[in-house]
Amino acid sequence: MKITPEMITIFPNLKIRQNAPLRDFTTFRLGGPCPLLIEGATAAQLPDVVQQLNQAKHPFLVIGQGANLVISDHGIEQAIFRFCSETPDIKADENRVTVSGDTLLDDLALFTVENETGDLSYCSGIPGTVGGGIAGNAGAFGRQMGDHLISVELLGLDGNVRAVPHDELEFAYRHSKLKETGEIVLSTTFELPKADRSIMQAERDRIMEFRKEHHPDWHNEPCAGSVFRNIEPTSAVERRKAAGYFLEEAGVRSFKVGGAKIYEKHANIIVADKGCTAQDVWELSEQMAAAVKEKFGIDLVREVRFLGKFN
Ligand SMILES: Cc1cc2nc3c(=O)[nH]c(=O)nc-3n(C[C@H](O)[C@H](O)[C@H](O)COP(=O)(O)OP(=O)(O)OC[C@H]3O[C@@H](n4cnc5c(N)ncnc54)[C@H](O)[C@@H]3O)c2cc1C
């Protein structure tokens, strides 16, 4: 059935667009349209919106800030909920923090430092929303979002909401069950380790400086962070190894496809120059993986999620 905005007219505050260009909603600034883009729904409204889409028998997908996505140049077939807000929705009771899934991760990190509600400083500067971060178990410096999460309020594909404890989410390195189920994080509660405000602030400052020095600013150099996951240990004594090291050694620095090129300070990040297409990024990532396979015999696994058709 062809979906139209009239099918989802239940809340006047929703912004609904047909054939919306998804390039405007990802940090890579690439990709074609989706049939319907729904923005502005609150966590309380989303269940009704999902039920409307189900009645229209239309597939859908939630996105946050689009900081981990490459959308095909041909677009995608699903309707998209953009669940991303610049107004943080956070409540704290000592070191227990409950936050809406559409809150930006860095806003949450800043809140926890300023209100001394426990240490989440490692999330400083990670682009994206809390919901996207939980789905992919985002993290940095050896810590990840699943570490101190107690529970989430999940919206199922059937439109029903349920509370789900930590263990049901099956967190692993850059992974949770939500990547497979497509269920939506409406909100979540963390219990954070106590830390002194001045120590957390110093750590946040250090991390923000490190990111400025080593990572592209996606506002000026569109990208989606690390293309490949780091390499899992093959025995209990080994540590996870940086994919960037193997890419560097495999000589990918000078690789370029169309407008897609390797970021000058990090061999595991692709940035988009003028005229870059999503297909360019796909092909460059194929070449990077092939170079590592040839030199080291290692199969890299993509961390960035490619959506839609690629050749
Ligand atoms: C410059 C740069 C630096 C980065 N550094 C890091 C880093 O240090 N560590 C790191 O882990 N990542 C990093 N990333 C990647 C990115 O920030 C994370 O993957 C982030 O968690 C993506 O969140 P998002 O809201 O943008 O999700 P999106 O990219 O919009 O979506 C990603 C996935 O999450 C799902 N999703 C989104 N919202 C929800 C929700 N509410 N409920 C359920 N599922 C949802 C989507 O369906 C999709 O499958 C970086 C990216 C950039 C551009």
Side-chain angles (χ1 to χ4, degrees):
M1 186 188 296
K2 193 164 158 36
I3 188 102
T4 62
E6 291 68 43
M7 290 172 177
I8 325 252
T9 48
I10 36 181
F11 301 112
N13 61 310
L14 298 192
K15 203 165 156 192
I16 305 177
R17 276 179 265 190
Q18 269 181 296
N19 284 324
L22 287 171
R23 60 169 54 240
D24 296 345
F25 303 97
T26 68
T27 57
F28 235 136
R29 306 233 172 276
L30 299 172
C34 65
L36 208 64
L37 178 84
I38 303 161
E39 281 187 282
T42 62
Q45 292 170 337
L46 269 178
D48 287 331
V49 181
V50 163
Q51 268 159 14
Q52 295 273 321
L53 281 170
N54 281 341
Q55 274 167 26
K57 295 198 172 26
H58 202 283
F60 55 84
L61 180 75
V62 64
I63 67 167
Q65 202 176 21
N68 201 29
L69 301 177
V70 181
I71 310 278
S72 161
D73 301 313
H74 307 291
I76 57 171
E77 287 170 1
Q78 297 106 313
I80 292 286
F81 296 122
R82 183 165 185 267
F83 194 43
C84 179
S85 169
E86 281 175 12
T87 310
D89 177 3
I90 310 170
K91 291 174 197 69
D93 181 8
E94 301 217 344
N95 59 333
R96 215 167 237 244
V97 178
T98 298
V99 54
S100 170
D102 60 356
T103 294
L104 291 174
L105 202 44
D106 186 59
D107 284 344
L108 173 62
L110 181 62
F111 176 95
T112 57
V113 172
E114 286 182 340
N115 294 280
E116 216 169 355
T117 56
D119 192 11
L120 204 68
S121 53
Y122 67 94
C123 286
S124 298
I126 301 182
T129 59
V130 169
I134 291 170
N137 200 11
F141 309 106
R143 294 166 68 192
Q144 39 209 356
M145 294 200 68
D147 292 353
H148 303 291
L149 181 149
I150 297 177
S151 65
V152 290
E153 191 187 20
L154 270 194
L155 170 59
L157 303 186
D158 56 3
N160 290 320
V161 179
R162 63 195 178 104
V164 172
H166 172 279
D167 290 356
E168 264 189 50
L169 295 173
E170 297 172 13
F171 284 114
Y173 168 63
R174 295 294 178 271
H175 181 82
S176 81
K177 194 174 89 169
L178 304 178
K179 273 194 164 174
E180 284 132 37
T181 64
E183 292 164 293
I184 300 170
V185 175
L186 297 179
S187 70
T188 185
T189 301
F190 297 97
E191 197 166 273
L192 298 171
K194 279 204 179 305
D196 183 77
R197 178 176 170 162
S198 62
I199 292 172
M200 290 191 287
Q201 185 64 58
E203 183 63 356
R204 178 172 166 83
D205 294 346
R206 182 191 72 77
I207 290 170
M208 295 305 261
E209 201 50 46
F210 177 90
R211 286 188 174 275
K212 212 160 109 194
E213 191 56 36
H214 294 90
H215 292 175
D217 172 0
W218 61 266
H219 298 89
N220 307 318
E221 292 189 275
C223 68
S226 295
V227 180
F228 296 100
R229 296 156 58 124
N230 289 333
I231 291 143
E232 296 288 357
T234 48
S235 75
V237 285
E238 265 185 272
R239 294 177 58 196
R240 198 171 287 125
K241 293 186 182 130
Y245 165 80
F246 295 98
L247 287 158
E248 184 80 49
E249 292 294 306
V252 309
R253 278 280 172 164
S254 56
F255 287 15
K256 195 172 185 307
V257 176
K261 63 176 190 187
I262 308 290
Y263 179 55
E264 56 185 344
K265 295 181 188 168
H266 201 315
N268 193 13
I269 296 179
I270 297 177
V271 291
D273 259 351
K274 259 206 161 78
C276 183
T277 63
Q279 184 62 30
D280 291 342
V281 174
W282 172 261
E283 282 173 27
L284 180 53
S285 72
E286 290 275 280
Q287 290 185 11
M288 293 159 79
V292 169
K293 177 74 176 171
E294 191 181 318
K295 183 153 174 116
F296 297 102
I298 293 172
D299 291 306
L300 291 180
V301 177
R302 287 188 178 85
E303 179 169 329
V304 169
R305 185 165 179 194
F306 287 78
L307 290 178
K309 290 201 179 90
F310 291 87
N311 297 331

